Each structure stands twice: as C-alpha cells, then as structure tokens.
Amino acid sequence: MFAEVLGVGSVGVGDGFFDLGGDSVLAIRLVARAREAGVVFSPREVFRHQSVRALAAVAAEEAAGAVGEPEGAGIGPVDPTPIMHWLAGRDGPIGGFSQTVVLRVPPELGLEALTAGLQAVLDRHDALRLVCSGAEALLGDGRGVLEVPPSGSVRADECVRRVEVAGDPEEAVAEAAARSRAELDPAAGRMVRVVWLDAGAGVPGRLVVTVHHLSVDGVSWRILLPDLFAAWDAARRGEAPVLPAVPTSFRTWARMLRDEARTRTGELDDWIDILDGPDPRIGHRPLDPDKDTVATVRTLRLTLPPERTEPLLTTVPAAFHGRALDVLLTGLTLAVAHWRRKRGGRGTSVLLHLEGHGREEIAGGVDLSRTVGWFTTLYPVRLDAGATAWTDGRTVTRAVKQVKEQLRAVPDNGIGYGLLRHLDPESAAELDGLPRPQIVFNHLGRVATGEGDWNVVPAELGGHDPEMPVAHVLEINTTVRDRPDGPHLEAAWSWPDGVLTEAEAEELAGTWFDALGGLAAHGSGGHTPSDLLVELDQDEIDRIQTAWEDR
C-alpha cells in the first residue's frame, strides 16, 4: 500500500512514509486505500507510526459488517463551515468559483457508460448535489439556503456533454472548461459539469471535469476520480456501479465544527499574538477591493527539476525527522526575509496564511477518507528562521529546526483559527480587526501524471469570477508532479497587477528556489523537541547529539 500510494517501486518494512516523500494528503489516501482492503488506521496514526512495521502494529482489521453513519445522514440543511464564511466575506460573486481537472480517456469511452458512472458518483457523494442560494447562505445567520437534496435529485445526463473534436483535443480543453464554468449555478444545484472531448476512433479523448469549489477540494479529487473510473468501468461491462460507502458525511462534519468552536476559546490569545505583530508591506500599496480583482491577477509559473526536487521531499526532511512542508516553508521564510531586507526592511519574522486540507481528527469515530467537499482550512502562522541567508550548515540547520518547531506548535494544523474567527461570535469580534497576512501558501501535495488512459493531464484553467476581490498580495500554490523522470516541484506565484511587478515576483520566486537549494546543500539534520517524549530544549538536544557524534 505504501508503494502504491507513494508511486515507488518497493518499500522496506522499516521505511518511513514521509521519508519516502509522503505528505498529509497522501496520508489520507493511504487510510482510504487501507480501508478498501479491510485494514483500519487513522491519518494521525500515519504521522505517529511512520514505518510499515510500526503502522502494522497499530492497524486493526475492519469489523465485519461495520457501517458508518445512517443512510441519508448527509441530506438536509448544511451548517456553513469556516472556509465558506471566509468566501462570503470576500464580498464578490461566487457562481464561477470552481476547480477543473482534465483526464486522458480512451476513444471508446461511451456516453452511456460515462453518464451511468457519473450518476453513481453524484448519488454517492452528497456535496456534489449541494444547493447554495448565494453568498448570504454562507454566513450562517438564517438567510438563504444551503442544503443537500436526496440522491437522484441531480441527473447525470444533464451534467454531461459529448463534443466531437478534430485533431488535437487539447485545443478544445480551455473552451470546454470555460463553458462548463459559465453553466455552474449553485442556486440551482448545478455544481458539476463533465465534457467528453471525443477525438474519434483510435485517438484518446479528454474528459474535462468541472466542479464548483463549494463541493470539492484537492483531497476530494483523489476520491472522485477513482470512483468515476470504477463506476464507468462497471457500467461499460454492463454492471450496475456500486461505490464504497462514505463513513462520515460532509453535513455531519459541518455540524461537528459548529459544536467544536465552543471548545477552542483557549487558543484565542495565541492567534492574537500571531497576528498582532510586525508585517512590513511587501507591495507598493495596500490591496484595494475595487481595483484589485481576479481579472487583474498575473501569474508566474516555475518548476524545479527532479534532481533538485527529490531531496526536498525525501532526504532533507528525513534528516530533520520532519516533513516536506517544513523544508518548503523554511525556504520561503528565508527568501521573504532576504528579499525584504534588500528593499530596506528589517527583521526575520514572516507572517503567512497557510491553507490546509482541513480533515483533522478532532473527534473519535469520524472517518473523512472518503468524504467529498470543501474542507480547506486557512490559518495564520508567524515563522522566523532567524536568518536571511542559507550558505552555511549551522545557519541552515538552525533555520529548519526553528521553523519545524513553530509549525508543530500550531494545534491540529490550524483548524481552531477558522472556528474562532467565523463560528464563535465573541472570538470573531477580537480577531476581526487584526492585520491579515499578505502572503498565502498552499502546498497541494503530489500528483501522478502519465500517458495512459484515465491519467490527469496538466492544465492551467482559471476557476474564479473575474470581479472577485483579491484576498492576498501574493498567492503561492505548489504541486509536486510525479513524471516518468521523477518528481517536479511546480510553483505558481500570483499577484494583482500594480501591487507587485513581474520582475519583483520573479526575483522573490527565484530567491525561494535558491534558498531551497541551500537547505538541500547545507542542512545537516537532527532532532527537535517535538520529536522526543522527554522535555528538552533545542540547545540540550544539540549538545547530546554532538556528544554522541564525537564519542
């Protein structure tokens, strides 16, 4: 299972999941894959017991006849989640807010089998049938409608189109995605559009799948696409598609978040301390919601080749007993501090917004490994690497250790911030007036790409309404694409025109890549306090490690 999920040839029983390039998103996929085989463990246990041997020791066999929540528990009114509140607070149109994935599909795909497969997916995953009357319904104050209607209420034949294309189907992808996005209508429950670009006999086509963002996120695609293939394959063979059950519905999770918010008030002072501090302006002016809209956004895309990406995912985080995100964010913290200092700024502290997958284990008996929906968390962190350079081993090693520990200090990967900011009125009043991070970072994890049928075809397709105000001066989205020659780290840097220049964004992006190279070249590794069961500070750990190495 490790080898399958990580896309590697072989795995030893003592190999660590994260040492091999795993991340939190892949950990959820591992949990789902294990459950398919009747083996049960949680994402948290993947983090605590990282090797095959250790995880096998705590895993359990799924009880015969085990079931999740009752059938239909995901149907009915839905409580708006924190990320939905955040979207409503951006005060712009949400109709076209969506994500699109493009798949290579066989020439004999067949409209009938595709429609039957999609119907099974629509009926199994409640969030794909979500109805949202408008942004007002996302505020949780009783206005508008946010609900999931019963299975069968959305007809797949109204969501699918077949389009004949001549020549390369890639040329028709952007047009198909744009039309699908325009057809989305949350108020009418039109959250899904699928276009089959049929290139004719003997030529692989493309399947353009567009889903409104209220109904999907990065982890959800890793559930939806295998389900769509399995359901299509069954229909193609003349069988009725049967998809695995969803143990915990999105509706149940949303209700749990509302209740959980009341238990998180003890975190409030920590979030205030993070936000209420220095954050020197990185743009030429503050954001203007009337001027800085999605239509003005410029994007720079850069890629690191496999020989530079591989260490950042494996050997470097393994040396620090950490994760790839620790390394990526250490590099970014160093780069921003360095770039800012060149422009007369001071200090090494950097305030960021981080996006997380949001599927945290905040309650027992909850299994979100097969739940589709928009779970994303958005929370602030203040990271300080204590330096603005990355050319010597001591500085680099200290920087990675510091940032790693600052990230570990965030409880439950930041889920509490959104709960307090949006679902607890008293806490929201205290957090509302505080500064907001200028930079947002979102690591989307690893995505396999290949030449065969039903593989994802990389495509850059917009998913925002042009009139939506921009939320950050700088947005950084990173993805690791596993290609035949190895992993490639792809980074998209986006900013509203006029707030930054392309030359400035390109310089900062290049500085980040340089910093990552410095971490790979000079980081010597070592333990940090969060690795240990005894209370030792970093200096004590370093002294013990040095004594051990010098023995």
Side-chain angles (χ1 to χ4, degrees):
M1 292 180 191
F2 270 48
E4 177 186 330
V5 170
L6 293 169
V8 297
S10 62
V11 175
V13 295
D15 291 342
F17 183 77
F18 298 98
D19 296 347
L20 294 171
D23 54 38
S24 60
V25 173
L26 288 177
I28 295 172
R29 176 62 190 136
L30 180 66
V31 170
R33 177 64 185 88
R35 183 172 288 277
E36 291 173 8
V39 179
V40 179
F41 50 80
S42 69
R44 181 171 293 172
E45 286 172 325
V46 179
F47 281 92
R48 289 179 177 172
H49 311 281
Q50 298 185 13
S51 70
V52 175
R53 181 188 294 112
L55 194 56
V58 300
E61 289 188 19
E62 187 170 27
V67 295
E69 59 188 27
E71 191 74 24
I75 297 170
V78 176
D79 292 295
T81 61
I83 197 65
M84 292 177 176
H85 281 262
W86 172 81
L87 177 63
R90 291 180 64 179
D91 197 24
I94 65 171
F97 187 42
S98 59
Q99 294 186 333
T100 296
V101 170
V102 181
L103 302 170
R104 181 180 288 104
V105 290
E108 64 278 6
L109 182 70
L111 185 60
E112 184 177 348
L114 174 61
T115 303
L118 180 61
Q119 189 67 62
V121 171
L122 292 169
D123 291 345
R124 172 57 70 197
H125 297 293
D126 303 328
L128 301 182
R129 306 190 304 273
L130 187 68
V131 175
C132 174
S133 61
E136 73 284 349
L138 305 178
L139 295 172
D141 57 7
R143 292 182 294 161
V145 174
L146 186 69
E147 65 179 10
V148 172
S151 297
S153 59
V154 177
R155 292 179 49 180
D157 58 4
E158 296 178 353
C159 301
V160 177
R161 283 190 297 118
R162 172 180 169 270
V163 177
E164 293 185 4
V165 294
D168 186 359
E170 290 296 329
E171 299 178 2
V173 166
E175 180 182 350
R179 177 174 170 181
S180 289
R181 191 164 57 248
E183 291 177 351
L184 297 178
D185 183 358
R190 292 202 295 268
M191 307 299 268
V192 178
R193 283 295 181 265
V194 176
V195 180
W196 172 26
L197 300 177
D198 184 358
V203 181
R206 297 292 181 268
L207 197 65
V208 184
V209 186
T210 300
V211 182
H212 197 281
H213 208 338
L214 286 172
S215 296
V216 78
D217 59 14
V219 176
S220 297
W221 286 108
R222 291 165 167 86
I223 302 166
L224 287 178
L225 298 181
D227 273 9
L228 181 58
F229 168 77
W232 165 82
D233 189 49
R236 179 181 62 88
R237 290 183 279 107
E239 302 174 5
V242 178
L243 297 175
V246 176
T248 303
S249 68
F250 183 81
R251 179 172 179 260
T252 295
W253 172 253
R255 186 171 61 250
M256 291 177 61
L257 291 184
R258 182 194 62 197
D259 298 335
E260 178 72 13
R262 306 186 187 101
T263 73
R264 294 282 173 159
T265 53
E267 300 178 12
L268 180 60
D269 287 345
D270 293 332
W271 295 117
I272 291 174
D273 289 343
I274 288 172
L275 290 168
D276 194 15
D279 186 29
R281 183 186 300 168
I282 64 168
H284 295 288
R285 57 173 174 77
L287 290 176
D288 182 343
D290 294 325
K291 180 185 300 184
D292 301 314
T293 62
V294 169
T296 72
V297 168
R298 302 293 176 260
T299 299
L300 172 70
R301 304 184 191 279
L302 299 174
T303 302
L304 272 185
E307 64 272 16
R308 295 185 62 187
T309 298
E310 183 74 38
L312 302 175
L313 306 178
T314 56
T315 55
V316 178
F320 288 94
H321 307 278
R323 305 160 198 163
L325 187 62
D326 303 332
V327 178
L328 298 180
L329 288 174
T330 300
L332 181 62
T333 303
L334 289 167
V336 172
H338 177 88
W339 183 84
R340 200 167 57 196
R341 179 161 292 189
K342 285 180 63 177
R343 286 158 175 72
R346 304 175 64 182
T348 54
S349 170
V350 177
L351 180 64
L352 302 170
H353 255 155
L354 294 187
E355 285 196 32
H357 58 68
R359 297 164 190 251
E360 307 302 334
E361 294 179 58
I362 60 174
V366 175
D367 180 358
L368 301 173
S369 64
R370 275 196 47 76
T371 311
V372 168
W374 191 21
F375 286 83
T376 301
T377 49
L378 184 67
Y379 59 97
V381 293
R382 186 173 293 277
L383 302 180
D384 191 342
T388 60
W390 45 85
T391 55
D392 70 273
R394 184 176 181 181
T395 299
V396 164
T397 298
R398 184 173 62 246
V400 176
K401 289 179 177 180
Q402 286 187 192
V403 170
K404 173 189 167 186
E405 287 303 289
Q406 290 158 10
L407 291 170
R408 295 299 178 277
V410 178
D412 294 324
N413 295 309
I415 194 171
Y417 174 76
L419 297 176
L420 295 174
R421 175 66 182 81
H422 299 291
L423 302 186
D424 182 69
E426 292 184 8
S427 299
E430 294 197 55
L431 292 168
D432 186 43
L434 295 175
R436 299 181 182 182
Q438 302 171 76
I439 303 173
V440 60
F441 184 89
N442 182 21
H443 182 54
L444 296 166
R446 303 183 73 153
V447 177
T449 58
E451 296 300 320
D453 291 335
W454 290 93
N455 274 298
V456 173
V457 178
E460 307 298 341
L461 303 167
H464 292 80
D465 294 275
E467 300 83 11
M468 173 65 80
V470 172
H472 298 90
V473 172
L474 186 61
E475 179 176 341
I476 308 166
N477 289 289
T478 62
T479 305
V480 175
R481 294 200 182 274
D482 288 312
R483 303 181 188 275
D485 62 338
H488 296 245
L489 176 63
E490 299 181 355
W493 296 66
S494 301
W495 66 95
D497 195 21
V499 180
L500 289 173
T501 66
E502 183 170 356
E504 290 167 334
E506 188 169 3
E507 181 185 2
L508 179 53
T511 302
W512 181 49
F513 275 0
D514 290 344
L516 291 177
L519 299 184
H522 302 296
S524 60
H527 285 284
T528 60
S530 64
D531 298 328
L532 308 178
L533 298 177
V534 295
E535 290 190 13
L536 295 175
D537 63 28
Q538 191 63 60
D539 289 340
E540 291 172 320
I541 295 171
D542 290 344
R543 285 197 297 270
I544 293 172
Q545 183 169 333
T546 300
W548 175 259
E549 292 171 350
D550 294 343
R551 74 190 188 284

